[in-house]
Amino acid sequence: MHKTIEEGLSFVKDLLSSFHPTEMEVVGLAVPYTDIYPLSQEIKGAPLLIGAQNMNDATEGAFTGEIAGIMLKDAGAKFVLLGHSERRHLYGEDDAFINRKVKRAVEIGLQPILCVGETKAEYEGGETHAVIERQLTEGLKDLEAQQLQNLIVAYEPVWAIGNGHSATPEIAQEVHHFCRQILAKILNEELAQQIVIQYGGSVNPSNAQELLAQADIDGLLIGGASLSLESFLQIVNDRYSKINQ
């Protein structure tokens, strides 16, 4: 819940003037609902994606305060975060609700980014694999492989979010590899290898490239470090330097 329309437009203009997204892997910004339309208009012609942070599973109806996926898409959103840890833990969203939202996003052609991750108590109790398997299995329930060609999964350990204590690259890689194994069981091996799995959880310029160097970490879901243009650009430009060495 950051950045007014004016602040968002300023951020995007400065971002586009400071790096070369045509030569980069895809960069997307998940912005507040109010920013989606003006930012999507601002970036027309640039390979930068604008997406949303959440949506309801209904298409329309008496759901005061909620927003439908078709509204997001109409405003210019290309993707949507679903099941983010804050939605799960602050607002009580369960796997069944998140599954309905994934189905709706797929139905309307909005790229779903399904977020999964365990709490500190679950991590310390050795429940990481059980939690991840449940969240992936339930979140993708009743969906076929052909419907999920554009799925992105984001692993965000709740115990590492917003506190400066990122999971080590080794821990993150192990869980990402496990995610890929579960995706192979749910869908198929070929698709599981193609699906982008991002890491999120206290990502910053100091640890981003080491995380991205891991075999099963395909991208980053950047939180606090994305609010500062300086830190976000450092992560992006460092990545650009690495892939062009």
Side-chain angles (χ1 to χ4, degrees), residues 38-181:
L39 267 60
S40 65
Q41 295 298 301
E42 179 66 30
I43 64 154
K44 277 188 174 178
L48 179 67
L49 301 180
I50 299 298
Q53 299 172 10
N54 187 40
M55 63 176 244
N56 193 268
D57 66 313
T59 300
E60 63 179 12
F63 303 102
T64 301
E66 290 296 295
I67 194 161
I70 57 171
M71 296 173 178
L72 301 177
K73 190 175 179 182
D74 185 54
K78 302 299 183 184
F79 67 91
V80 59
L81 303 183
L82 300 174
H84 190 280
S85 63
E86 289 160 2
R87 301 304 312 178
R88 292 178 187 267
H89 300 291
L90 294 181
Y91 299 100
E93 295 190 5
D94 61 17
D95 291 319
F97 184 35
I98 294 164
N99 175 240
R100 295 196 300 273
K101 294 199 283 188
V102 173
K103 290 176 179 174
R104 185 67 70 189
V106 168
E107 176 189 317
I108 65 175
L110 199 56
Q111 184 177 32
I113 300 181
L114 175 60
C115 302
V116 299
E118 79 282 23
T119 64
K120 182 178 181 181
E122 290 165 340
Y123 173 70
E124 292 177 343
E127 301 175 48
T128 296
H129 283 195
V131 170
I132 298 300
E133 182 167 9
R134 188 200 79 234
Q135 290 176 341
L136 284 174
T137 301
E138 294 300 317
L140 301 177
K141 189 175 181 180
D142 299 325
L143 285 158
E144 302 295 332
Q146 64 267 23
Q147 296 176 285
L148 296 170
Q149 300 296 315
N150 294 319
L151 171 70
I152 292 176
V153 171
Y155 168 59
E156 42 165 18
V158 182
W159 49 270
I161 295 174
N163 58 21
H165 301 295
S166 174
T168 66
E170 293 75 20
I171 291 173
Q173 162 57 24
E174 190 278 326
V175 179
H176 276 240
H177 183 67
F178 180 74
C179 286
R180 217 174 287 284
Q181 290 178 313

Side-chain angles (χ1 to χ4, degrees), residues 225-243:
S226 70
L227 299 178
S228 160
L229 184 66
E230 182 181 6
S231 62
F232 188 59
L233 273 173
Q234 186 176 341
I235 293 171
V236 172
N237 288 332
D238 283 353
R239 177 61 173 168
Y240 174 68
S241 298
K242 291 283 186 183
I243 63 177

